[in-house]
Amino acid sequence: PSLLVWDGLTEGLDPAGVRETLDLLRQQHANRELTLIATDNRPAELLVDGTRVAVLARGRLLFDGPPQALTEAAQRDLELRYVLAGHP
């Protein structure tokens, strides 16, 4: 598929399973333009390869942009920093 929606991408996986899953997705993306929409409680693992990230909390969009800008945005936004730290 050209669009894959995956909820809890790394949920329940050990570090080796996370690497294998992300490697598989990288291969799929390289072979064809795969767009992945993923939700995860450990977003840092997904940010490595992402071109765009959106952070939602309680139905509100807190951030939408390139992963490189997320760190800077979190330094300015206390709620975003709180959510990225794993708090609901």
Side-chain angles (χ1 to χ4, degrees):
S2 59
L3 174 65
L4 178 61
V5 179
W6 197 335
D7 184 28
L9 181 64
T10 62
E11 188 71 30
L13 298 177
D14 62 11
V18 170
R19 279 191 304 276
E20 289 174 17
T21 300
L22 294 178
D23 286 346
L24 174 65
L25 292 172
R26 284 183 197 106
Q27 291 171 0
Q28 291 297 314
H29 178 72
N31 293 339
R32 54 187 159 171
E33 287 296 314
L34 173 68
T35 298
L36 171 64
I37 298 174
T39 64
D40 203 283
N41 292 328
R42 300 181 299 193
E45 295 166 349
L46 302 177
L47 293 176
V48 174
D49 297 309
T51 56
R52 180 175 171 196
V53 62
V55 178
L56 297 130
R58 291 183 222 90
R60 289 186 28 243
L61 181 64
L62 299 180
F63 177 83
D64 182 8
Q68 302 86 342
L70 183 58
T71 301
E72 183 180 321
Q75 291 173 351
R76 293 187 315 266
D77 186 322
L78 181 61
E79 184 179 10
L80 179 58
R81 192 167 48 241
Y82 186 74
V83 168
L84 291 174
H87 304 285

